[in-house]
Amino acid sequence: MLATIIFNALWVGFLGGILASLVRIGFQQLFRTEEAKKTEALSIGGGVFLDFSQAAFVIGSIILSIVFIIWANYDATITQGSGMVWGFIVWVGIEQVYQVAKKKHPFFWHLPWQKTAVEIVGFLLWGWTMYLVAIGLPISGVYF
């Protein structure tokens, strides 16, 4: 039973994590300036930039999607708000605890409110996308 849940969570989480990270990255790209994009990325010439922080987020998103699906199989309360509670928990954990402790950026009250709003909405959409993939593939074991 546990092996089946983990196996199904691995491949559904892989798909959900990739899709959710692309939704979040795409949403946040709508609100970034060109200067901010260039300072965060590595130029490979010809106006093409590689952003390794986004690649790290995709990998982390896959892992967190697998965790979300396994957790939802045992305790459905994490799916409250259609996965948006999970997105908010991850925003607090990553953006407000981990990255502040690593001094990558200040607490949200030291940032412009527009940037904080975009970050929160991006993570809420991220969690919602994971939830939609999980309920869209019933083999994941996550239901309404």
Side-chain angles (χ1 to χ4, degrees):
M1 176 74 177
L2 178 64
T4 304
I5 291 172
I6 291 174
F7 176 74
N8 292 336
L10 286 174
W11 72 271
V12 174
F14 179 78
L15 295 174
I18 289 175
L19 184 62
S21 65
L22 292 176
V23 166
R24 179 189 165 266
I25 290 167
F27 176 77
Q28 289 184 336
Q29 291 299 322
L30 293 173
F31 301 100
R32 290 197 182 179
T33 63
E34 191 65 32
E35 181 179 320
K37 290 178 190 175
K38 289 180 182 177
T39 58
E40 295 175 355
L42 173 68
S43 174
I44 59 173
V48 177
F49 296 91
L50 295 175
D51 193 348
F52 292 107
S53 67
Q54 301 298 355
F57 184 78
V58 172
I59 293 168
S61 181
I62 291 168
I63 293 167
L64 289 170
S65 181
I66 293 168
V67 169
F68 171 73
I69 292 170
I70 292 172
W71 188 351
N73 272 284
Y74 290 104
D75 183 17
T77 57
I78 194 64
T79 61
Q80 295 294 321
S82 299
M84 290 187 195
V85 170
W86 175 247
F88 187 75
I89 290 169
V90 171
W91 175 75
V92 169
I94 291 176
E95 296 291 324
Q96 300 310 310
V97 175
Y98 176 74
Q99 288 193 357
V100 170
K102 290 290 217 177
K103 298 186 180 182
K104 295 195 184 245
H105 65 76
F107 281 112
F108 69 92
W109 57 77
H110 295 294
L111 298 171
W113 70 268
Q114 297 93 337
K115 182 174 180 172
T116 302
V118 168
E119 285 285 329
I120 291 172
V121 171
F123 273 97
L124 293 178
L125 289 173
W126 175 82
W128 184 48
T129 305
M130 280 184 195
Y131 175 75
L132 291 177
V133 170
I135 64 169
L137 297 170
I139 198 163
S140 69
V142 178
Y143 304 106
F144 293 102

